[in-house]
Amino acid sequence: MQPLYLQNTRLASSMFNIILFGPPGSGKGTQSEKLISAYGLKHLSTGDLLRGEISNKTPLGLEAKTLIDKGLLVPDEVVIGMISSALDANPGAKGFLFDGFPRTRAQAEALDKLLKLKNTEIGVVLALDVSEEELVNRLMNRGLTSGRSDDTNENIIRERIAEYNRKTSPVADYYREFDKVVKIKGEGTVDEIFELLKKEIDKRFDH
Ligand code: ADP
C-alpha cells in the first residue's frame, strides 16, 4: 500500500487542466462550451462568475461592474479569490478549463500555486489568435444581442483590447517559459477551430 500522499499525487496527476487563452472576442466562451462537453471538464470563466455577481447585485458585483464598463480589469485578489473557491467547490473534477483567467502575470502565478496545493498543474495553454479588426467586428455584433454593456461601445471594446495587450498578453510569455503555449488560428468556422483545439488536446492527454 502506498503512503497516502503518493496516492493523492497519482490521483491528481490524472487530472488535466487547460487554459483557453486569447483576447476578448477570440471565441473562448464558444469553444469552452464545446470542449467541456467533449472532455467532461469543469468550466471556470471569471467573466461568467463576475456577471453572476453583477446580476445578484452583490457588493463585489457592483464594484466589478464599474470597472468592467470602462473596459478595465477587476483587481487580481477578487478574481483569485473566486477561482480559489471554485477549485475547492469541485474536488472531484476530472480537470478544469480556465476561460478568461489568468489575465495578469500575478493571477498566473497564483493559479500555479493553487493547483500545486492540489498536486496538479496546467497541462496546456491554447492561445486563440485573431486579428484586432475581426475582434472589434465580432464584439460589436455580439453587443447587438448579448445584453452585455461592455460590448455595445467601440471605445470600450478598444480599451478592453488595449488592457489585454498591456496586462494579459504577458501571461502567454509566462507560460512560454514552461513551454506550455500552443497558438491556434482563431479565424475560420467554429467547427474548424474546435477541431484544431481537439487535435492539440488529444496529443497531450490520454482520456
Ligand atoms: P471577454 O468576453 O472580453 O473575454 P469576459 O467575459 O471574460 O470578457 O470578462 C468580462 C470582463 O470581466 C473583462 O473585461 C474584465 O473587466 C472582467 N474580468 C473577467 N475576468 C477577469 C480576470 N481574470 N481578471 C480581471 N478582470 C476580469
Side-chain angles (χ1 to χ4, degrees):
M1 188 79 171
Q2 282 183 320
L4 191 64
Y5 69 93
L6 281 179
Q7 289 177 27
N8 282 342
T9 306
R10 202 182 52 197
L11 211 86
S13 65
S14 68
M15 272 177 95
F16 75 95
N17 305 299
I18 300 171
I19 294 175
L20 193 55
F21 188 78
S26 55
K28 301 186 298 292
T30 306
Q31 296 296 336
S32 291
E33 292 305 324
K34 295 175 72 74
L35 290 170
I36 55 165
S37 58
Y39 295 98
L41 301 173
K42 173 74 190 166
H43 185 199
L44 292 185
S45 156
T46 41
D48 288 350
L49 292 169
L50 289 167
R51 281 184 289 278
E53 298 282 340
I54 293 171
S55 62
N56 290 329
K57 299 195 166 57
T58 65
L60 189 159
L62 295 175
E63 186 198 328
K65 186 169 169 34
T66 56
L67 292 164
I68 291 176
D69 284 349
K70 291 188 187 122
L72 301 175
L73 295 183
V74 306
D76 287 335
E77 51 282 14
V78 172
V79 286
I80 292 167
M82 290 191 323
I83 288 290
S84 174
S85 314
L87 292 176
D88 288 342
N90 292 281
K94 196 169 138 185
F96 293 96
L97 175 65
F98 297 95
D99 159 11
F101 180 90
R103 252 178 163 95
T104 62
R105 195 179 166 108
Q107 292 178 23
E109 287 170 358
L111 177 63
D112 279 357
K113 283 192 189 131
L114 290 170
L115 292 177
K116 203 164 188 181
L117 288 173
K118 299 191 183 301
N119 294 315
T120 185
E121 62 178 357
I122 292 299
V124 67
V125 178
L126 300 168
L128 292 167
D129 189 33
V130 177
S131 74
E132 178 160 342
E133 281 324 294
E134 172 73 10
L135 296 174
V136 175
N137 284 337
R138 288 186 190 177
L139 291 168
M140 294 290 285
N141 276 328
R142 185 169 82 183
L144 300 175
T145 53
S146 69
R148 277 180 55 168
S149 49
D150 57 344
D151 282 347
T152 44
N153 173 310
E154 184 167 342
N155 291 333
I156 300 175
I157 289 173
R158 297 232 179 241
E159 185 54 39
R160 282 159 64 197
I161 296 171
E163 188 82 331
Y164 172 86
N165 290 330
R166 276 190 298 262
K167 296 185 179 159
T168 306
S169 61
V171 171
D173 302 330
Y174 171 80
Y175 285 107
R176 233 173 254 126
E177 286 169 31
F178 305 98
D179 216 11
K180 289 190 174 174
V181 182
V182 180
K183 194 160 139 180
I184 304 282
K185 184 168 174 276
E187 296 186 30
T189 67
V190 168
D191 285 334
E192 280 162 1
I193 300 163
F194 181 53
E195 289 305 318
L196 295 175
L197 292 167
K198 275 203 306 195
K199 207 171 91 195
E200 294 301 331
I201 295 171
D202 292 342
K203 262 191 226 168
R204 289 167 177 78
F205 302 109
D206 200 13
H207 62 95

